[in-house]
Amino acid sequence: MSNETIFALSTAPINSALALIRVSGQNSFTLIENIFNNKKKITPRKAVYGSLLNNDELIDDVILIYYKAPSSFTGEDMVEIFCHGNRIIIKRIMETLRTHGACDAKPGEFTKRAFLNGKVDLTEAEAINSVINAKSDWELKSALKQMHGSLKNIINEIRNDIITLKADIESGIDFVEEDIEFVSKNQAIDLSLAIFENLEKLHQRCKLGETLTKGIDIAIVGKPNVGKSSLLNAILNKDRAIVSNIPGTTRDMITEAVQIAGYAVNIIDTAGIENPKNEIEKLGIELSRKSIKSSSIVLAVFSASEKPAKEDEEIIEEVKSTNVIYIINKSDIACDENIIEYKKIIKDDFLLISAKTGANLDQLETIIGKKIKSGIEYSEDSFIADSRICDLLQNAKAYIENSTKLLQENSGDEIIAFELQAAIDSLNEITGEISPDDILESVFARFCIGK
């Protein structure tokens, strides 16, 4: 790890009432002593008021907190400077820090140092970044729990079970001549199967978390000019899609992120489904049909201002096997006869709304929220996980599955112990106890500067 003393602005680079500049490294205290006029009052973990100076020139009056290693976020000597949020002041403080030997921090370098100094494991470090970038209530809640060790703890429990099984099997190797059996084959098989089941549950919880982090796809489908784009704009509460009385305004998919019922959602406005008049319309309609198949929820939209057409019936037939919500739009200009006709062909519950006036949009959001929650059972127990964690859990499962087969085949204990160790190594890589440098660089490069 670098011995350099680093610094960074940890608040937004805008004019504000206050700003926070962090300094970390073995020379942090010495550096601050050279530029702070009230250095005799500096006491670890106590806020001290004073002035920062560049030689004899006043830079700003600040509040300063010194953290003595290892009792700091990074595990190193660390200083936090609370100054006025004027960008000129911030620039002068940072220039002064450079003059006294400190270096600009890289993205995620403070958290990386915390990890390397054993203050957090890799799952907790990644959760810190998720707290900063959370796009939904679920993601924020899960990230906070993970930052406090929820994922690390369950991985440690499973790893300890594997270590215990491996130790029992290796003990049998050491005492083979004495014919001592520390664990029977049947017991070992049962333990291996139980470990696999726990890994499988954890893997599913992490995969669900990965899906929830990316956002749940909801496609708005229907024929042209039924108000799909108006509905998108109403859900987003802003004009994102062009709205026109001319049918077929949307030729391509428009995707926007929003939060519904505490979860991140990707609303997809699709091209109107009809008989295509040209190649561009044909491609747009093909994308619409793909969205119907791939989305978790489909909003099938129809217009109450006109009678059901052949295209409407085809759309109903196409979406009926999906997780669909039927919506009849334009209730503000509805014709009762048209609604009766739609009721005959939909043959299911539908919601009458007006994207223009906002009528029943709150009810639509409630229905969508219920659909989301019914489709993601146990979401409260899922973890924020990316492909790195999911892949490593998949590897650990494969190694445990191999060890179970080897036990059932009465194979050599050395081979079984090798598979168990490989599973342990996979779990160690999740928490960062063993992790290649390029993986660490990739993880922390995603952080913002100053964290």
Side-chain angles (χ1 to χ4, degrees), residues 162-163 166 170 399-400 415-428 434:
I162 302 172
I163 290 170
K166 180 173 177 280
E170 287 182 331
Y399 291 127
I400 294 300
I415 303 173
I416 298 167
F418 178 84
E419 293 291 330
L420 293 173
Q421 184 58 52
I424 293 167
D425 289 344
S426 292
L427 297 182
N428 283 341
I434 57 169

Side-chain angles (χ1 to χ4, degrees), residues 42-53:
I42 297 176
T43 304
R45 309 184 78 81
K46 299 290 184 181
V48 182
Y49 174 77
S51 299
L52 288 185
L53 306 171

Side-chain angles (χ1 to χ4, degrees), residues 345-358:
I345 62 172
I346 290 176
K347 299 176 183 177
D348 203 343
D349 293 335
F350 60 83
L351 181 65
L352 188 63
I353 71 162
S354 171
K356 183 177 180 179
T357 67

Side-chain angles (χ1 to χ4, degrees), residues 42-201:
I42 297 176
T43 304
R45 309 184 78 81
K46 299 290 184 181
V48 182
Y49 174 77
S51 299
L52 288 185
L53 306 171
N54 183 10
N55 295 323
D56 293 328
E57 182 186 356
L58 175 65
I59 304 174
D60 192 22
D61 292 337
V62 303
I63 298 293
L64 185 146
I65 303 176
Y66 166 59
Y67 303 89
K68 185 174 177 58
S71 301
S72 71
F73 173 69
T74 60
E76 305 172 328
D77 275 2
M78 187 171 169
V79 177
E80 291 183 337
I81 303 167
F82 297 86
C83 62
H84 292 99
N86 184 293
R87 284 179 288 180
I88 298 172
I89 290 172
I90 294 167
K91 183 181 178 182
R92 286 178 179 172
I93 293 174
M94 293 171 74
E95 286 174 347
T96 302
L97 293 171
R98 290 189 194 99
T99 300
H100 285 78
C103 302
D104 292 74
K106 299 173 184 175
E109 191 166 0
F110 289 91
T111 308
K112 184 178 181 181
R113 290 188 177 203
F115 164 72
L116 293 173
N117 286 319
K119 305 295 287 187
V120 295
D121 83 322
L122 200 52
T123 64
E124 292 167 329
E126 289 178 299
I128 291 170
N129 196 38
S130 296
V131 167
I132 295 169
N133 295 304
K135 301 184 294 293
S136 68
D137 290 341
W138 170 85
E139 192 175 356
L140 179 58
K141 191 185 299 183
S142 298
L144 286 168
K145 287 193 293 185
Q146 210 157 304
M147 194 172 73
H148 286 274
S150 61
L151 179 55
K152 176 187 73 174
N153 292 339
I154 193 167
I155 287 174
N156 285 343
E157 288 175 10
I158 296 172
R159 178 170 49 204
N160 288 339
D161 289 341
I162 302 172
I163 290 170
T164 300
L165 177 58
K166 180 173 177 280
D168 286 339
I169 288 172
E170 287 182 331
S171 296
I173 298 171
D174 294 337
F175 292 91
V176 64
E177 294 182 1
E178 284 81 358
D179 197 27
I180 298 174
E181 189 176 56
F182 285 82
V183 61
S184 71
K185 289 294 181 186
N186 287 337
Q187 287 175 323
I189 290 169
D190 289 342
L191 287 170
S192 189
L193 287 170
I195 290 167
F196 180 87
E197 184 178 349
N198 289 333
L199 277 171
E200 174 64 21
K201 288 178 182 177

Side-chain angles (χ1 to χ4, degrees), residues 180-238:
I180 298 174
E181 189 176 56
F182 285 82
V183 61
S184 71
K185 289 294 181 186
N186 287 337
Q187 287 175 323
I189 290 169
D190 289 342
L191 287 170
S192 189
L193 287 170
I195 290 167
F196 180 87
E197 184 178 349
N198 289 333
L199 277 171
E200 174 64 21
K201 288 178 182 177
L202 178 59
H203 190 212
Q204 292 302 320
R205 290 164 70 179
C206 285
K207 286 201 298 183
L208 175 57
E210 185 181 21
T211 299
L212 294 177
T213 301
K214 290 178 179 177
I216 298 160
D217 289 342
I218 299 180
I220 304 175
V221 302
K223 71 180 187 183
N225 210 33
V226 294
K228 299 186 298 300
S229 296
S230 296
L231 178 57
L232 171 70
N233 291 340
I235 292 172
L236 298 176
N237 198 26
K238 66 178 183 180

